[in-house]
Amino acid sequence: MTKLTLTLSALYLALVGLALMSFPIQFGRGAVPTDAAPELLALLRLLGGPFLGIAVLNWLSRNAEPSTLRNVMLANIVGFGAVAANDIWGVASGEARDIAKLFLIVHLLFTLAFVAAARGGKF
């Protein structure tokens, strides 16, 4: 389960990172105006970089020994958990875009998968 979770999250995070860097207006449809300020687009592109970095970390960690994965698993639990909490807040308050409901499910599933994988690995 750990290898699958790390692999799927790496692919997901790479897609999000590349989308933020390459197509920030399209990726942020409904949240980013079509005439967005260049500074906003630069910020969105900047945020894509850490997504790619975490994607690479997860990809390279997918074949690591369970005893070496504690920090990677914890970082993913915190990261996906924080994003899922933000999605819950946005959906519950009505402040989020409609697609946030889908992202809420994705992020919550990744959080739960990392928790399950971490428990199974007895980190």
Side-chain angles (χ1 to χ4, degrees):
M1 175 152 183
T2 301
K3 182 175 182 172
L4 178 62
T5 302
L6 286 165
T7 300
L8 292 176
S9 67
L11 296 172
Y12 173 75
L13 292 168
L15 288 173
V16 170
L18 290 171
L20 280 168
M21 294 178 82
S22 304
F23 312 104
I25 292 175
Q26 296 81 356
F27 184 77
R29 185 188 314 153
V32 177
T34 55
D35 61 344
E39 295 85 358
L40 175 58
L41 298 178
L43 177 62
L44 291 172
R45 287 186 174 111
L46 177 74
L47 294 174
F51 280 93
L52 291 177
I54 298 166
V56 170
L57 177 68
N58 286 357
W59 183 260
L60 295 175
S61 298
R62 73 192 191 285
N63 292 317
E65 292 297 320
S67 61
T68 65
L69 287 176
R70 183 174 189 271
N71 294 338
V72 173
M73 301 304 282
L74 182 58
N76 276 281
I77 291 167
V78 169
F80 278 108
V83 172
N86 187 61
D87 291 338
I88 291 168
W89 178 270
V91 169
S93 69
E95 297 172 356
R97 304 177 289 163
D98 287 338
I99 197 163
K101 293 173 186 171
L102 173 64
F103 283 117
L104 185 153
I105 293 167
V106 170
H107 298 144
L108 193 56
L109 287 174
F110 271 121
T111 303
L112 296 173
F114 275 108
V115 168
R119 292 188 77 194
K122 296 180 178 59
F123 303 111

